[in-house]
Amino acid sequence: MKLQSVFLYSLLGITLVGTSCKPKGTSSAVTGGAAEKTYVPPGKYDELYNFVSGGFSGQMSVYGLPSGRLLRVIPVFSVDPEKGWGYSEETKPMLNTSHGFVPWDDLHHVELSQTNGEVNGKWVFGNANNTPRIARIDLKTFRTAEIIELPNSAGNHSSPYGTENTEYVVAGTRFSVPADGAGSDVPISSYKENFKGHISFISVDKETGKMDLSFQIRTPGVNFDLARCGKAKSHGWFFFSCYNTEQANTLLEVNASKNDKDFIMAVNWKKAEEYLKAGKGKKVPVKYAHNTYNETTHTATSEFKNEVIVLDAAELKDICYFIPCPKSPHGCDVNPTGEYIVGSGKLAALLPVFSFDKIQTAIAEKQFEGEYGGIPVIKYEAALHGEVQKPGLGPLHTEFDANGFAYTSFFVSSEVVKWNVKELKVVDRVPTYYSVGHLCVPGGNTRKPYGKYVIAYNKITKDRYLPTGPELSQSAQLFDISGDKMQLILDFPTIGEPHYAQAAPAELFTKNQYKIYKIEENKHPYVAKGEAETKAVREGNKVHIYLTTIRSHIAPDNIEGVKVGDEVYFHVTNLEQDWDIPHGFAIKGANNGELLIMPGETTTLKWIPEKTGIFPMYCTDFCSALHQEMQGYVRVSPAGSNVPLTASIGKNAADEKAQK
Amino acid sequence: MKRIVSFSFAAACLFALVVVSCKGGEDTNTSGTNGASQETPSANNSATSANTASYDPKRGEGKFDASNVKVAALDESMVTKGDAIFKTKCSACHKLTDEKLVGPGWKGVTGRKEPYWIMNFITNPDAMIDKDPELQAQLEICLVRMPNQNLTDDDARHILEFMRKNDGAK
Ligand SMILES: [Cu+2]
């Protein structure tokens, strides 16, 4: 490792990073045995699921480990024509917000639900960074089940991090902004007076997963970056990294890098709960959407809420404490015992490790160096367990294994560094290709890490794969950590820009999965349970067509009497009850996407024909030897025409013969 | 094609249905997917060992045999239930006459096949299509496989009763 030259580089200017961090040749770090360790023979399952943020794709991707096979892209915050997400009438409400229908977002972090500090396999959460939202994905179906918007927030970055029984997932605002509402129209230069941070606590029902915006904590205006809950001994606390304690509102790369230290904010959420119960919160008028997907009606609904309870950290003095942390902290990670909190300053050349016990003592003994925005600031040394000296450049994120080691990513020096948490000694380092962001050790954020691997999610892949024009694939790299030394064993491409990811043993998720939706339990208002129930119904200019699909036909397949300008709703029920047999549905000229309908499900495509003629419709998912035959026709007549509305199937040769 | 579509075709095509893909060999990866959820179908639970030597074409393969499927006087309440299941899960592909639609017509099936064979086939189609010589021969003609419609044991019994009624049982 030519660390020295990298140090020099950074002195010249760390902004060069992206292009200047090619430490070695493309394959020099791969040694024997890598193929054996990652080979999963055809037909065999992977050992782990890896849930990976899709970044600016707005989706979440699911990979098998150790093979790196892409298993599924779960549509979350962005419309997805592959699955009809955001195109079908049933899923459109999932993307509703107080700003209307928002078809895209930037999904940054993933968080698996936990019980007693261990992954329970029920749900995975993701955050929308741009228009602040939190999504819950149900791992019975690998579909987004719920999305809740966050008021008083902007750039929902430090989220969704969960407590050890998923009592809450939290969402800290990246941009402090004036609270929503009439008072938000202020000069930007009045940042210091008017801009505030809000940390949202979203409760999660243990059984159903149902989310609720329980309360928010109002803080001074800074930028919240990342977060971690306490666990075991520190259960009941939350830790957030924050930058821009200068409260700058312009040229942040200079103006938010002036202070020698920023903060980690420690939040006593059990205390906050007490204040909430005691009625110390203020009800604040806001507007936000809460979207829920119903598994029996196969339909999402949006509910708009008008109020949130806010606790003011400056008034309620013992909820929040600031701990100074060297320059621009990014990651803020808690080890499996809950005792150590690792701060990573993007611009710092050391890693501070704080002690939960010392923080508690410091609070009890009021070892404060003052206040910031009305919040006590604990003395740095009083909270500090110790510092890892010169670990690398640009530390970002830390994950833990089961043996007392931490793994920290270094963006600037493009490496993963393994170090001993208690002794604060670096024991190993390996290069990454290139500019690593987040890391994932399976279970690495839990009380009982599974260990075995560390995965690096990289921003740059120059020369790692076949080139694909100016944009190259994002990348993940798998390292074996079962021995003393980390060993690179696999590269695999990822979608969007991968941010955080989590992984856990496959059986936690496979045991509960749905294979079909039971047709008997389908409560969609426009379901057709069998071809006998297919029909076309006109209500004014709306035409509801109840369709069914089964290998190998669509019923009805001849529809006449639709007129130009009608609002046509194809309610398609997939009659299959067999695993892995979706059908698709598309019609020529629709200003819309396709539908992809799971076995036993009903999904609706809205189509407004603008021309007369014959419009073919067909199944888009190759489902049988007779898939190409799975088609039909809609006749569109002029507005005002008197062609009667009819829907039929199967006037076949035998029927005609019988009629004669 | 026309010439084959005679009685022998109908018999051969018995229930044959969709999907080209034949499930190959043994399925070693089903462990862990047999959850308690109602929606987790039992299709993959059936042992599909490729051992065709022990296959009994009269009984088929599955949980039903002469000892646990008894037919007697027609049970109208079971017929009614079978009719409802037929409308939801079967009628898209089968007519009640002897005419083929996606799959063969149902007329006469209870006279050609044992009741337990029928129940095995409609609850365990993949395994049987892979082994039954008659079903394999018909697959070459129909090019379609019977889909697993995830019928419960009771569903299968009700369908059987509905078929018997269709064939004139009293
Ligand atoms: Cu199809």
Side-chain angles (χ1 to χ4, degrees), chain A residues 122-143:
Chain A
K122 289 182 178 177
W123 309 296
V124 59
F125 299 87
N127 62 321
N129 198 33
N130 182 48
T131 303
R133 285 170 281 176
I134 299 291
R136 176 175 59 87
I137 290 129
D138 193 323
L139 294 175
K140 290 198 298 289
T141 56
F142 279 54
R143 298 219 308 205

PDB file of all heavy atoms in Angstrom, chain A residues 122-143:
ATOM      1  N   LYS A 122     -38.266  -9.481   8.685  1.00  0.00           N
ATOM      2  CA  LYS A 122     -39.627  -9.047   8.333  1.00  0.00           C
ATOM      3  C   LYS A 122     -39.670  -7.936   7.291  1.00  0.00           C
ATOM      4  O   LYS A 122     -40.426  -8.007   6.338  1.00  0.00           O
ATOM      5  CB  LYS A 122     -40.343  -8.551   9.584  1.00  0.00           C
ATOM      6  CG  LYS A 122     -40.708  -9.645  10.568  1.00  0.00           C
ATOM      7  CD  LYS A 122     -41.449  -9.010  11.742  1.00  0.00           C
ATOM      8  CE  LYS A 122     -41.907 -10.035  12.759  1.00  0.00           C
ATOM      9  NZ  LYS A 122     -42.552  -9.360  13.909  1.00  0.00           N
ATOM     10  N   TRP A 123     -38.921  -6.879   7.530  1.00  0.00           N
ATOM     11  CA  TRP A 123     -39.021  -5.701   6.670  1.00  0.00           C
ATOM     12  C   TRP A 123     -37.651  -5.116   6.408  1.00  0.00           C
ATOM     13  O   TRP A 123     -36.708  -5.341   7.155  1.00  0.00           O
ATOM     14  CB  TRP A 123     -39.878  -4.604   7.360  1.00  0.00           C
ATOM     15  CG  TRP A 123     -41.182  -5.115   7.846  1.00  0.00           C
ATOM     16  CD1 TRP A 123     -42.206  -5.616   7.084  1.00  0.00           C
ATOM     17  CD2 TRP A 123     -41.621  -5.215   9.210  1.00  0.00           C
ATOM     18  NE1 TRP A 123     -43.252  -6.008   7.893  1.00  0.00           N
ATOM     19  CE2 TRP A 123     -42.928  -5.772   9.187  1.00  0.00           C
ATOM     20  CE3 TRP A 123     -41.054  -4.883  10.433  1.00  0.00           C
ATOM     21  CZ2 TRP A 123     -43.653  -6.017  10.353  1.00  0.00           C
ATOM     22  CZ3 TRP A 123     -41.758  -5.120  11.596  1.00  0.00           C
ATOM     23  CH2 TRP A 123     -43.051  -5.679  11.544  1.00  0.00           C
ATOM     24  N   VAL A 124     -37.588  -4.347   5.340  1.00  0.00           N
ATOM     25  CA  VAL A 124     -36.403  -3.523   5.130  1.00  0.00           C
ATOM     26  C   VAL A 124     -36.896  -2.109   4.821  1.00  0.00           C
ATOM     27  O   VAL A 124     -37.905  -1.934   4.123  1.00  0.00           O
ATOM     28  CB  VAL A 124     -35.485  -4.111   4.035  1.00  0.00           C
ATOM     29  CG1 VAL A 124     -36.180  -4.238   2.689  1.00  0.00           C
ATOM     30  CG2 VAL A 124     -34.209  -3.289   3.896  1.00  0.00           C
ATOM     31  N   PHE A 125     -36.246  -1.138   5.402  1.00  0.00           N
ATOM     32  CA  PHE A 125     -36.636   0.265   5.253  1.00  0.00           C
ATOM     33  C   PHE A 125     -35.643   0.985   4.341  1.00  0.00           C
ATOM     34  O   PHE A 125     -34.476   0.591   4.254  1.00  0.00           O
ATOM     35  CB  PHE A 125     -36.657   0.955   6.626  1.00  0.00           C
ATOM     36  CG  PHE A 125     -37.643   0.334   7.587  1.00  0.00           C
ATOM     37  CD1 PHE A 125     -37.271  -0.746   8.387  1.00  0.00           C
ATOM     38  CD2 PHE A 125     -38.942   0.806   7.668  1.00  0.00           C
ATOM     39  CE1 PHE A 125     -38.184  -1.334   9.266  1.00  0.00           C
ATOM     40  CE2 PHE A 125     -39.862   0.226   8.544  1.00  0.00           C
ATOM     41  CZ  PHE A 125     -39.481  -0.851   9.338  1.00  0.00           C
ATOM     42  N   GLY A 126     -36.129   2.018   3.691  1.00  0.00           N
ATOM     43  CA  GLY A 126     -35.253   2.842   2.860  1.00  0.00           C
ATOM     44  C   GLY A 126     -35.686   4.293   2.949  1.00  0.00           C
ATOM     45  O   GLY A 126     -36.855   4.573   3.236  1.00  0.00           O
ATOM     46  N   ASN A 127     -34.754   5.214   2.696  1.00  0.00           N
ATOM     47  CA  ASN A 127     -35.104   6.634   2.771  1.00  0.00           C
ATOM     48  C   ASN A 127     -35.065   7.288   1.403  1.00  0.00           C
ATOM     49  O   ASN A 127     -34.279   6.916   0.548  1.00  0.00           O
ATOM     50  CB  ASN A 127     -34.147   7.386   3.716  1.00  0.00           C
ATOM     51  CG  ASN A 127     -32.709   7.326   3.223  1.00  0.00           C
ATOM     52  OD1 ASN A 127     -32.267   6.311   2.724  1.00  0.00           O
ATOM     53  ND2 ASN A 127     -31.985   8.418   3.362  1.00  0.00           N
ATOM     54  N   ALA A 128     -35.954   8.261   1.231  1.00  0.00           N
ATOM     55  CA  ALA A 128     -35.887   9.139   0.061  1.00  0.00           C
ATOM     56  C   ALA A 128     -35.181  10.399   0.509  1.00  0.00           C
ATOM     57  O   ALA A 128     -35.616  11.067   1.442  1.00  0.00           O
ATOM     58  CB  ALA A 128     -37.284   9.459  -0.451  1.00  0.00           C
ATOM     59  N   ASN A 129     -34.104  10.695  -0.173  1.00  0.00           N
ATOM     60  CA  ASN A 129     -33.255  11.796   0.259  1.00  0.00           C
ATOM     61  C   ASN A 129     -33.772  13.147  -0.229  1.00  0.00           C
ATOM     62  O   ASN A 129     -33.599  14.156   0.430  1.00  0.00           O
ATOM     63  CB  ASN A 129     -31.850  11.546  -0.309  1.00  0.00           C
ATOM     64  CG  ASN A 129     -30.788  12.355   0.387  1.00  0.00           C
ATOM     65  OD1 ASN A 129     -30.886  12.621   1.570  1.00  0.00           O
ATOM     66  ND2 ASN A 129     -29.766  12.727  -0.354  1.00  0.00           N
ATOM     67  N   ASN A 130     -34.435  13.159  -1.369  1.00  0.00           N
ATOM     68  CA  ASN A 130     -34.778  14.437  -1.995  1.00  0.00           C
ATOM     69  C   ASN A 130     -36.084  15.025  -1.474  1.00  0.00           C
ATOM     70  O   ASN A 130     -36.112  16.147  -0.975  1.00  0.00           O
ATOM     71  CB  ASN A 130     -34.860  14.258  -3.508  1.00  0.00           C
ATOM     72  CG  ASN A 130     -35.152  15.556  -4.215  1.00  0.00           C
ATOM     73  OD1 ASN A 130     -34.505  16.563  -3.929  1.00  0.00           O
ATOM     74  ND2 ASN A 130     -36.114  15.561  -5.112  1.00  0.00           N
ATOM     75  N   THR A 131     -37.161  14.295  -1.642  1.00  0.00           N
ATOM     76  CA  THR A 131     -38.442  14.701  -1.066  1.00  0.00           C
ATOM     77  C   THR A 131     -38.644  13.767   0.120  1.00  0.00           C
ATOM     78  O   THR A 131     -38.998  12.614  -0.080  1.00  0.00           O
ATOM     79  CB  THR A 131     -39.567  14.547  -2.101  1.00  0.00           C
ATOM     80  OG1 THR A 131     -39.234  15.330  -3.256  1.00  0.00           O
ATOM     81  CG2 THR A 131     -40.893  15.045  -1.537  1.00  0.00           C
ATOM     82  N   PRO A 132     -38.369  14.248   1.327  1.00  0.00           N
ATOM     83  CA  PRO A 132     -38.122  13.324   2.445  1.00  0.00           C
ATOM     84  C   PRO A 132     -39.255  12.329   2.694  1.00  0.00           C
ATOM     85  O   PRO A 132     -40.406  12.708   2.908  1.00  0.00           O
ATOM     86  CB  PRO A 132     -37.949  14.271   3.630  1.00  0.00           C
ATOM     87  CG  PRO A 132     -37.401  15.504   3.007  1.00  0.00           C
ATOM     88  CD  PRO A 132     -38.138  15.623   1.698  1.00  0.00           C
ATOM     89  N   ARG A 133     -38.892  11.062   2.637  1.00  0.00           N
ATOM     90  CA  ARG A 133     -39.839   9.979   2.858  1.00  0.00           C
ATOM     91  C   ARG A 133     -39.093   8.774   3.422  1.00  0.00           C
ATOM     92  O   ARG A 133     -37.896   8.633   3.226  1.00  0.00           O
ATOM     93  CB  ARG A 133     -40.490   9.572   1.516  1.00  0.00           C
ATOM     94  CG  ARG A 133     -41.526  10.549   0.993  1.00  0.00           C
ATOM     95  CD  ARG A 133     -41.958  10.246  -0.417  1.00  0.00           C
ATOM     96  NE  ARG A 133     -40.989  10.716  -1.388  1.00  0.00           N
ATOM     97  CZ  ARG A 133     -41.084  10.504  -2.698  1.00  0.00           C
ATOM     98  NH1 ARG A 133     -42.078   9.786  -3.187  1.00  0.00           N
ATOM     99  NH2 ARG A 133     -40.179  10.978  -3.523  1.00  0.00           N
ATOM    100  N   ILE A 134     -39.845   7.907   4.070  1.00  0.00           N
ATOM    101  CA  ILE A 134     -39.321   6.620   4.522  1.00  0.00           C
ATOM    102  C   ILE A 134     -40.244   5.545   3.961  1.00  0.00           C
ATOM    103  O   ILE A 134     -41.469   5.671   4.040  1.00  0.00           O
ATOM    104  CB  ILE A 134     -39.301   6.515   6.062  1.00  0.00           C
ATOM    105  CG1 ILE A 134     -38.403   7.593   6.668  1.00  0.00           C
ATOM    106  CG2 ILE A 134     -38.862   5.118   6.514  1.00  0.00           C
ATOM    107  CD1 ILE A 134     -36.938   7.427   6.415  1.00  0.00           C
ATOM    108  N   ALA A 135     -39.652   4.489   3.418  1.00  0.00           N
ATOM    109  CA  ALA A 135     -40.443   3.383   2.879  1.00  0.00           C
ATOM    110  C   ALA A 135     -40.195   2.129   3.698  1.00  0.00           C
ATOM    111  O   ALA A 135     -39.091   1.913   4.205  1.00  0.00           O
ATOM    112  CB  ALA A 135     -40.069   3.113   1.429  1.00  0.00           C
ATOM    113  N   ARG A 136     -41.236   1.337   3.794  1.00  0.00           N
ATOM    114  CA  ARG A 136     -41.104   0.001   4.395  1.00  0.00           C
ATOM    115  C   ARG A 136     -41.406  -1.031   3.315  1.00  0.00           C
ATOM    116  O   ARG A 136     -42.448  -0.980   2.667  1.00  0.00           O
ATOM    117  CB  ARG A 136     -42.081  -0.167   5.563  1.00  0.00           C
ATOM    118  CG  ARG A 136     -42.054  -1.579   6.173  1.00  0.00           C
ATOM    119  CD  ARG A 136     -42.940  -1.662   7.409  1.00  0.00           C
ATOM    120  NE  ARG A 136     -44.321  -1.322   7.134  1.00  0.00           N
ATOM    121  CZ  ARG A 136     -45.242  -2.203   6.713  1.00  0.00           C
ATOM    122  NH1 ARG A 136     -44.925  -3.464   6.521  1.00  0.00           N
ATOM    123  NH2 ARG A 136     -46.483  -1.803   6.481  1.00  0.00           N
ATOM    124  N   ILE A 137     -40.486  -1.928   3.122  1.00  0.00           N
ATOM    125  CA  ILE A 137     -40.656  -3.001   2.143  1.00  0.00           C
ATOM    126  C   ILE A 137     -40.947  -4.284   2.905  1.00  0.00           C
ATOM    127  O   ILE A 137     -40.236  -4.619   3.853  1.00  0.00           O
ATOM    128  CB  ILE A 137     -39.393  -3.141   1.278  1.00  0.00           C
ATOM    129  CG1 ILE A 137     -39.297  -1.919   0.367  1.00  0.00           C
ATOM    130  CG2 ILE A 137     -39.421  -4.418   0.444  1.00  0.00           C
ATOM    131  CD1 ILE A 137     -38.022  -1.219   0.385  1.00  0.00           C
ATOM    132  N   ASP A 138     -42.015  -4.958   2.490  1.00  0.00           N
ATOM    133  CA  ASP A 138     -42.407  -6.185   3.162  1.00  0.00           C
ATOM    134  C   ASP A 138     -41.628  -7.344   2.544  1.00  0.00           C
ATOM    135  O   ASP A 138     -41.684  -7.555   1.333  1.00  0.00           O
ATOM    136  CB  ASP A 138     -43.914  -6.392   2.979  1.00  0.00           C
ATOM    137  CG  ASP A 138     -44.438  -7.459   3.911  1.00  0.00           C
ATOM    138  OD1 ASP A 138     -43.719  -8.450   4.137  1.00  0.00           O
ATOM    139  OD2 ASP A 138     -45.569  -7.307   4.407  1.00  0.00           O
ATOM    140  N   LEU A 139     -40.917  -8.086   3.357  1.00  0.00           N
ATOM    141  CA  LEU A 139     -40.067  -9.142   2.799  1.00  0.00           C
ATOM    142  C   LEU A 139     -40.806 -10.469   2.622  1.00  0.00           C
ATOM    143  O   LEU A 139     -40.205 -11.456   2.226  1.00  0.00           O
ATOM    144  CB  LEU A 139     -38.801  -9.285   3.636  1.00  0.00           C
ATOM    145  CG  LEU A 139     -37.916  -8.025   3.540  1.00  0.00           C
ATOM    146  CD1 LEU A 139     -36.719  -8.110   4.456  1.00  0.00           C
ATOM    147  CD2 LEU A 139     -37.476  -7.773   2.103  1.00  0.00           C
ATOM    148  N   LYS A 140     -42.113 -10.475   2.861  1.00  0.00           N
ATOM    149  CA  LYS A 140     -42.925 -11.613   2.418  1.00  0.00           C
ATOM    150  C   LYS A 140     -43.112 -11.542   0.901  1.00  0.00           C
ATOM    151  O   LYS A 140     -43.232 -12.548   0.231  1.00  0.00           O
ATOM    152  CB  LYS A 140     -44.316 -11.599   3.074  1.00  0.00           C
ATOM    153  CG  LYS A 140     -44.307 -11.920   4.555  1.00  0.00           C
ATOM    154  CD  LYS A 140     -45.699 -12.332   5.051  1.00  0.00           C
ATOM    155  CE  LYS A 140     -46.740 -11.219   4.900  1.00  0.00           C
ATOM    156  NZ  LYS A 140     -46.547 -10.102   5.838  1.00  0.00           N
ATOM    157  N   THR A 141     -43.182 -10.320   0.407  1.00  0.00           N
ATOM    158  CA  THR A 141     -43.461 -10.120  -1.024  1.00  0.00           C
ATOM    159  C   THR A 141     -42.339  -9.395  -1.770  1.00  0.00           C
ATOM    160  O   THR A 141     -42.379  -9.308  -2.990  1.00  0.00           O
ATOM    161  CB  THR A 141     -44.740  -9.271  -1.192  1.00  0.00           C
ATOM    162  OG1 THR A 141     -44.543  -8.043  -0.475  1.00  0.00           O
ATOM    163  CG2 THR A 141     -45.957  -9.993  -0.642  1.00  0.00           C
ATOM    164  N   PHE A 142     -41.380  -8.842  -1.041  1.00  0.00           N
ATOM    165  CA  PHE A 142     -40.339  -8.009  -1.640  1.00  0.00           C
ATOM    166  C   PHE A 142     -40.963  -6.835  -2.391  1.00  0.00           C
ATOM    167  O   PHE A 142     -40.519  -6.456  -3.478  1.00  0.00           O
ATOM    168  CB  PHE A 142     -39.406  -8.826  -2.552  1.00  0.00           C
ATOM    169  CG  PHE A 142     -38.339  -9.580  -1.776  1.00  0.00           C
ATOM    170  CD1 PHE A 142     -38.685 -10.430  -0.735  1.00  0.00           C
ATOM    171  CD2 PHE A 142     -36.993  -9.428  -2.067  1.00  0.00           C
ATOM    172  CE1 PHE A 142     -37.720 -11.123   0.000  1.00  0.00           C
ATOM    173  CE2 PHE A 142     -36.014 -10.117  -1.349  1.00  0.00           C
ATOM    174  CZ  PHE A 142     -36.380 -10.954  -0.324  1.00  0.00           C
ATOM    175  N   ARG A 143     -42.032  -6.288  -1.812  1.00  0.00           N
ATOM    176  CA  ARG A 143     -42.660  -5.116  -2.415  1.00  0.00           C
ATOM    177  C   ARG A 143     -42.802  -4.023  -1.369  1.00  0.00           C
ATOM    178  O   ARG A 143     -42.912  -4.286  -0.171  1.00  0.00           O
ATOM    179  CB  ARG A 143     -44.040  -5.473  -2.976  1.00  0.00           C
ATOM    180  CG  ARG A 143     -43.924  -6.511  -4.061  1.00  0.00           C
ATOM    181  CD  ARG A 143     -44.847  -6.321  -5.210  1.00  0.00           C
ATOM    182  NE  ARG A 143     -46.241  -6.150  -4.914  1.00  0.00           N
ATOM    183  CZ  ARG A 143     -47.188  -6.450  -5.803  1.00  0.00           C
ATOM    184  NH1 ARG A 143     -46.894  -6.957  -6.972  1.00  0.00           N
ATOM    185  NH2 ARG A 143     -48.438  -6.240  -5.513  1.00  0.00           N
TER     186      ARG A 143
END
